[in-house]
Amino acid sequence: MEGWTIEVDMTDLALRVKGLRKQYAKVLAVDGLDLEVPRGEVFGLLGPNGAGKTTTLEIIEGLTTADAGEIEILGLTWAQQGQEIRARIGVQLQSTSLFNKITPRESLDLYGSYYPKRRSTEELLDLVQLQEKADAYHITLSGGQQQRLALALALVNDPELVFLDEPTTGLDPQARRSLWDVVRRMKAEGRTVMLTTHYMDEAEALCDRLAIMDHGQVIATGTPASLISDLAIPSVVELTFEGAAPEPAAFAARLDQVVERRADLWEIPTPDPKALLPRLLEAAEAAAVPFQQVHIRRATLEDVFLHRTGRSLRE
Ligand code: ATP
């Protein structure tokens, strides 16, 4: 055997969900959802607003009841072993409200006191790099610092499985990256992390595997790389224009190629950008299409979602 790779036994599941369903008065929020998350993975639920990610997570966390379905967490069920599940999981909700005048040190001490097994406050402050703010009022923390504190609070009981609901929404790029580092450290410590996000770059950067959700269902599962390579469209050529992008229909017919208009740019998916480029430039000149820049990028999870649903993740 080469190196020190830890092999994750796919039969050793942190989470198994089967046939999950939740109907709200007017919306079928979760529509027969199946998931399997092996231990030790960072697993992402990726989907647009309203896809059912939060509802799914809240049912798994025992905060909302399902209408139907089975859930096994670390081999346990809520009906039989609720207390044990609570002791062994950590939960960060979409937003965490704390008193304005509680400090990170105090809130970690307080949350920790609820559990028989707990990580020390100092260790957690180090993990999320909040030592400097340990004794500052909560109201004085930045958005990123508040999110890192919420992560530390989800870890007070040293959980094996941690749920994070859109942990980086609303954060600036630097704060997002620093939060990603904390998630990576959680994984390095051997924890399983399940997170929701509607950022495809976050899903690609952080997750070992993903389930892409839409309308309460999983529409694709796999590693970010396999989901993208299954598309069989490794590249996308993007064209931008001086002003707003023109309608691409006539140009697409001339080029005999799918051309999608997205806001102020055209996107042309292609397995072979080298062959497409000369044809593209020729056709653009013939049609007097005044484009400004041509950019070739590899396909992303956004393209996977677009391809499967005909809609953008950001719509
Ligand atoms: P977001 O990224 O916006 O949080 P999401 O993927 O997490 O979206 P959910 O919050 O699970 O989606 O919502 C799924 C659907 O269920 C939405 O149409 C939402 O309006 C609806 N929904 C969620 N909670 C409730 C509720 N308590 N009562 C009624 N409808 C709800």
Side-chain angles (χ1 to χ4, degrees):
M1 195 178 86
E2 274 182 33
W4 291 95
T5 326
I6 298 169
E7 291 195 10
V8 177
D9 178 357
M10 291 290 285
T11 56
D12 189 11
L13 293 177
L15 178 69
R16 193 181 67 82
V17 174
K18 202 159 171 45
L20 203 65
R21 209 181 124 87
K22 175 76 181 180
Q23 171 84 54
Y24 286 117
K26 292 188 181 141
V27 184
L28 184 55
V30 184
D31 183 13
L33 182 125
D34 300 334
L35 281 178
E36 289 195 342
V37 181
R39 281 183 197 247
E41 275 196 356
V42 177
F43 188 92
L45 279 184
L46 174 71
N49 289 129
K53 306 180 297 293
T54 297
T55 307
T56 301
L57 223 55
E58 286 181 352
I59 296 170
I60 296 168
E61 293 160 356
L63 301 173
T64 304
T65 54
D67 298 328
E70 294 165 26
I71 300 172
E72 245 177 55
I73 301 173
L74 305 165
L76 311 169
T77 63
W78 280 109
Q80 305 284 324
Q81 295 117 331
Q83 188 123 345
E84 188 177 347
I85 294 176
R86 240 169 252 121
R88 291 170 61 185
I89 67 170
V91 172
Q92 183 206 359
L93 300 176
Q94 214 166 73
S95 66
T96 306
S97 301
L98 293 172
F99 295 119
N100 287 345
K101 290 197 173 175
I102 196 166
T103 68
R105 192 189 304 282
E106 288 165 347
S107 52
L108 287 165
D109 283 345
L110 178 68
Y111 274 52
S113 70
Y114 301 146
Y115 295 97
K117 178 184 165 200
R118 61 156 307 189
R119 282 182 93 176
S120 83
T121 295
E122 292 311 311
E123 198 189 334
L124 289 167
L125 287 168
D126 279 343
L127 179 78
V128 297
Q129 297 175 325
L130 274 182
Q131 282 291 10
E132 270 179 34
K133 286 281 180 178
D135 300 306
Y137 284 152
H138 188 256
I139 196 169
T140 69
L141 304 185
S142 69
Q145 289 165 340
Q146 290 189 4
Q147 287 289 69
R148 295 213 300 276
L149 174 62
L151 237 57
L153 290 170
L155 293 174
V156 280
N157 55 331
D158 200 17
E160 290 158 61
L161 172 58
V162 188
F163 298 98
L164 310 175
D165 196 357
E166 299 197 357
T168 65
T169 294
L171 299 187
D172 63 49
Q174 200 185 345
R176 286 180 74 206
R177 304 239 159 205
S178 109
L179 217 113
W180 291 0
D181 285 342
V182 179
V183 174
R184 291 191 179 111
R185 260 174 267 152
M186 290 181 183
K187 179 183 156 83
E189 289 172 347
R191 293 172 217 284
T192 310
V193 180
M194 182 166 181
L195 60 89
T196 70
T197 182
H198 53 252
Y199 297 121
M200 50 129 194
D201 60 335
E202 179 158 292
E204 249 185 281
L206 272 187
C207 298
D208 297 306
R209 281 193 320 129
L210 304 168
I212 302 185
M213 276 190 79
D214 192 34
H215 297 310
Q217 293 183 327
V218 172
I219 57 170
T221 321
T223 64
S226 72
L227 286 165
I228 292 167
S229 66
D230 285 352
L231 254 189
I233 303 169
S235 301
V236 177
V237 175
E238 290 180 347
L239 288 185
T240 50
F241 300 85
E242 297 283 344
E247 281 309 321
F251 190 80
R254 184 188 282 266
L255 196 61
D256 194 19
Q257 174 85 42
V258 175
V259 179
E260 285 152 2
R261 184 178 158 174
R262 292 242 255 146
D264 284 347
L265 60 83
W266 286 357
E267 291 187 331
I268 309 175
T270 176
D272 190 357
K274 264 197 204 148
L276 175 67
L277 271 183
R279 285 174 50 226
L280 179 66
L281 298 178
E282 223 172 85
E285 192 162 328
V289 173
F291 66 85
Q292 188 183 41
Q293 276 188 31
V294 182
H295 177 66
I296 302 173
R297 63 167 175 82
R298 67 185 184 90
T300 65
L301 290 170
E302 176 79 40
D303 299 300
V304 175
F305 189 81
L306 187 70
H307 185 75
R308 299 229 177 204
T309 66
R311 286 175 294 113
S312 161
L313 266 171
R314 287 165 290 184
E315 268 166 22

